[in-house]
Amino acid sequence: MGSVRWAFLCGSWTPSRADWLLAARCIQREEKDRIGQFVFAKDAKSAMAGRLLLRRFVCEKMGIPWSDIRLERSPRGKPYLAAPLKVSSDSGPEPPAWSFNLSHQGDYAVLAAERGKQVGVDIMKTTMPGSSSVPEFFRIMTRQFTAYEWSVIQSAGSEHQQLATFYRHWALKESFIKAIGTGLGFNLQRVEFHLPSDPLTYGQPLSQTRMHLDEEEEEDWIFEESLLDADHHVAVALGPADKPASAPLRPSLPPATTFTLLSFSDLIASASPLTEEDSAYWDSFKMKAEVPQRQRDTHTSK
């Protein structure tokens, strides 16, 4: 199978001491240390889930033993597999290489992977702006979208529906940027998305959204859109691994792949510990979990 779409619900994950310490033992030491630096438990859980998702994918889909997986980060922070092991085969030509990408925001961490294509994934949760009204929030973000996109966003209905459409467009743009590996210098107004008339509903991913790059429609890119629940929208960008051939990829692509929700047991099903248990890591995590409550208590007492 050449497509993988996995999701893990971090928001409701309340790891036990045994679970958290096992998870920490099953990732590389430097990643464990990086996760340990997060101030809030929510961020630590999301990052840990992302590491486990990625290692599970490499182990189960690429066939590399858990203990042999070596993940590194590009200068832009994108994880990649360092010196992947080559599996010899006499059954014919090697299959296309895997491309993979991670995202975590809101209550989920997600992974998308594909053979023979560039992949970018982004998840966004529809939330009300914390410190401004919706019109003021949109005014601040004006330069991130084209006039056409703003017309679609602001004609979506209620303020919540407008925000949902805003974050849908944002996820689409971010998925493309992540797929091509471009950083903050990319002008988001260069890409314009045209949504299909069919509504996006839970459990039914769409792949009819079209992208215009520099005002020209891009036939060799496809965008899969999914709702994980009422508030979490995921976009997966799929593009050619090399320079596109004369025929676009779109007609040959299969239907959009549905995300599979994994449990913690799923994440560690193929795992093997890489380091010794560090009981202080649990103590540190418990302190993180208490930070938001202490802040609320402090705020209340003022």
Side-chain angles (χ1 to χ4, degrees):
M1 181 179 178
S3 300
V4 174
R5 307 286 186 270
W6 289 339
F8 179 74
L9 184 56
C10 309
S12 60
W13 180 36
T14 54
S16 66
R17 180 182 187 276
D19 286 348
W20 187 250
L21 291 181
L22 175 59
R25 295 182 66 196
C26 293
I27 61 175
Q28 290 164 212
R29 188 178 300 276
E30 63 270 23
E31 293 290 356
K32 172 194 162 191
D33 292 343
R34 187 181 68 86
I35 291 170
Q37 294 173 3
F38 283 108
V39 173
F40 297 111
K42 179 180 185 295
D43 298 324
K45 290 193 299 178
S46 295
M48 182 69 78
R51 295 300 95 190
L52 294 174
L53 279 169
L54 189 47
R55 295 188 74 90
R56 181 185 194 263
F57 162 74
V58 173
C59 181
E60 296 190 6
K61 299 300 181 179
M62 299 182 70
I64 300 176
W66 192 281
S67 58
D68 291 339
I69 299 170
R70 179 67 190 175
L71 297 169
E72 295 186 2
R73 289 177 177 271
S74 71
R76 298 187 185 277
K78 185 175 182 179
Y80 67 92
L81 185 62
L85 301 177
K86 292 188 178 295
V87 180
S88 59
S89 174
D90 298 327
S91 60
E94 292 186 6
W98 282 99
S99 176
F100 53 81
N101 198 223
L102 290 164
S103 180
H104 52 80
Q105 202 267 340
D107 298 330
Y108 289 88
V110 294
L111 176 142
E114 199 83 13
R115 279 193 181 274
K117 298 179 180 68
Q118 295 182 78
V119 177
V121 63
D122 196 66
I123 180 168
M124 292 301 301
K125 181 179 181 179
T126 300
T127 55
M128 295 295 289
S131 59
S132 62
S133 66
V134 172
E136 176 63 13
F137 175 62
F138 285 171
R139 187 193 66 78
I140 295 170
M141 304 297 291
T142 296
R143 299 178 65 181
Q144 309 304 321
F145 299 97
T146 67
Y148 169 78
E149 289 171 328
W150 276 119
S151 70
V152 173
I153 292 168
Q154 294 178 312
S155 63
S158 67
E159 284 194 343
H160 187 273
Q161 290 170 320
Q162 290 180 43
L163 280 169
T165 308
F166 170 91
Y167 286 117
R168 181 177 179 182
H169 280 82
W170 187 267
L172 285 163
K173 295 205 178 200
E174 284 294 316
S175 69
F176 175 68
I177 300 260
K178 293 175 72 175
I180 62 177
T182 302
L184 296 175
F186 188 88
N187 180 4
L188 292 179
Q189 288 198 357
R190 290 182 58 196
V191 291
E192 179 178 276
F193 286 93
H194 292 244
L195 308 181
S197 57
D198 294 340
L200 185 61
T201 56
Y202 172 74
Q204 295 184 323
L206 297 177
S207 57
Q208 289 78 38
T209 293
R210 300 298 183 98
M211 181 184 74
H212 290 215
L213 177 62
D214 297 330
E215 301 183 357
E216 295 289 334
E217 184 174 344
E218 289 289 315
E219 288 286 348
D220 50 330
W221 282 84
I222 192 164
F223 293 84
E224 297 180 354
E225 297 186 87
S226 304
L227 280 178
L228 297 186
D229 58 27
D231 295 322
H232 289 80
H233 178 273
V234 186
V236 178
L238 300 172
D242 300 307
K243 203 69 177 174
S246 55
L249 296 180
R250 184 179 296 271
S252 63
L253 285 172
T257 305
T258 302
F259 273 84
T260 299
L261 187 63
L262 303 182
S263 66
F264 179 70
S265 296
D266 295 327
L267 290 186
I268 61 169
S270 303
S272 58
L274 307 177
T275 59
E276 295 298 317
E277 184 173 295
D278 177 8
S279 59
Y281 203 69
W282 170 249
D283 298 331
S284 173
F285 177 73
K286 283 197 302 181
M287 291 179 65
K288 297 178 195 299
E290 294 166 2
V291 166
Q293 182 61 50
R294 288 204 305 269
Q295 288 184 339
R296 285 195 294 270
D297 293 345
T298 302
H299 179 76
T300 302
S301 66
K302 290 184 178 179

